Structure formats: C-alpha cells, structure tokens
Amino acid sequence: MKRSDMRKIGRNDPCPCGSGKKFKKCHMGREEELALDSLGEVSEAMSAMITSLPEVNYGRAREMADALNLEELTGTVIGIKFVDLKAYSDLNIFGSGYRKGPEARGGGIFINIYKTMKTDPDHIYLAISPDIGDSALVHQLAHVLDYLEGSRLMPGTMQPLSLELGIPVEHLEHTEEFGRWLVYLKEKFEVQLDADDTIVAYLYDNGMLIKGREIKGKNGFILKTKSDNILKFLSNNSRDIDEMIRHLPGYVGSRVAGDGGEA
C-alpha cells in the first residue's frame, strides 16, 4: 500500500493491516509502521543495507548500552547496535535522511524496527553522530526502554496523529513512561540533560506527561485536553523553567512571555 493510499483511509474504515479493527483503533498514528510492513515494502536487501553497516562506538554509547541489562529491565532478550548517522542517512531508505528535530537532536535516531527486523530481529538500531553527547544518548536509550517496556510506541511515528489533533508531536513522543526511563538513565549515568529534556523530566516529576495507553486509545478529547494542560503548566511555570534551563545546552532563549523569547 502506498502512503498516498493511506491518506484516503477513513477513521472508521477497516485497518489495512487486516486486524479487523477500525483504522482509528489500530494503525492510525502509526502509518509509518503499516507502510513499511505492508506488501514487504522493506525488502530483505533493503534491511540488510542497514544491518550490514559497521557498528560504531561514539561517546559513551557502548558503555551505556552494555551497562543496561535489558532482559532484567524489560523482560526482553534483545541487543542494541549503533551505526553511523551519516552512513545511515546516505542510504535514504524510507525517511532515513537525517533531520534536525525532536528525534534527531544532538545526532541520534531510533531506527524503525520494521526497517531492520527482516535481517536482524535480535537488535534495535540507533544511528548516532561522532559528536553525540551524553544527553542525546540518554534520550535515545530512553526511547529504547520505553518501546520495550513502557508505552511500546515507536519513536518517529506520531506525526500523523499530531497533525490530526493539532497537538505538539513532542507531547505524543515523550510519554509518561518515556519520562520515567529518562529520569532513570539520567541518574544511573549521572548525566546533565539538555534544556529540552530537562523540561521533559520536569513535566514527568510533576505528573504532566501523557500516558502511552491514552495515546493508543486515540481519544481526541482526552489527548487534546492533556496537551492543553501541559501547555498551560509550562506557561504558568515559565519563569522557574527558564531559570532551570538557561545554563544548559540547547537553551534557545527565555521561555518567559514578555522577555523577547518563547512564550
């Protein structure tokens, strides 16, 4: 099924995956997974192009990954492999191009498992850049843990639901479960988070992040209300947040309304 065809599927139509569920209750919001999996769109040869990339060890990547007992933490026997971000991007396989954004911050991308599972179902792949810092590594590893034992949502697949509901994609990508793992890894590896992830951790500590099951439920009213509450909370606490992050990497200016920065 082509991506253009998926845009024609109605919310109440049967999901093309064959589950028997309505599209809104199944793959809506995860169309990338459906596109990659349907009709073998990612061939074994394409998958092998990714899984045959040489492993890299930039920054503390291997140290951190090896220090995590994924079977103990998540109940899953799986490993983590790191490949070079530019080498992966140059393959240009269904959106592998590197982009600056929430899921490519500091040089890290969680590669959709539908791209690698045909030739290496035993590993999750992260594409990272040589200059990747501790905060970006912790961010991506938190996504791995969240996917295996948390929200179980695939990073980078929330854009369609975000656009449909008018909700910032960050509110859907960074679930309550992601926040729990982010804080866990921050403390385990004694990492100073960057400005954006410090805000995520602050939202988690204050019980403001959206739960994975709420996102999977795709109830527009609930998700929009939760998102509005996050924005209101950030606005009401903007001065404290600005003081908290102004010295951190990734700080882009005051979040306080009236200070000439973001409101």
Side-chain angles (χ1 to χ4, degrees), residues 47 51 76-79 113 116-125 148:
S47 177
T51 59
T76 305
V77 181
I78 198 166
I113 64 167
T116 59
M117 63 188 303
K118 286 188 176 180
T119 52
D120 188 2
D122 298 323
H123 292 89
I124 286 175
Y125 282 74
L148 295 175

Side-chain angles (χ1 to χ4, degrees), residues 105 174 178-179 182 195-205 209:
R105 63 221 272 150
H174 303 141
F178 170 86
L182 182 69
D196 288 336
D197 277 336
T198 295
I199 294 175
V200 174
Y202 181 70
L203 289 170
Y204 170 75
D205 288 339
L209 296 177

Side-chain angles (χ1 to χ4, degrees), residues 44-59:
E44 187 170 334
M46 291 177 180
S47 177
M49 290 172 66
I50 301 173
T51 59
S52 63
L53 288 172
E55 288 190 65
V56 299
N57 180 22
Y58 300 144

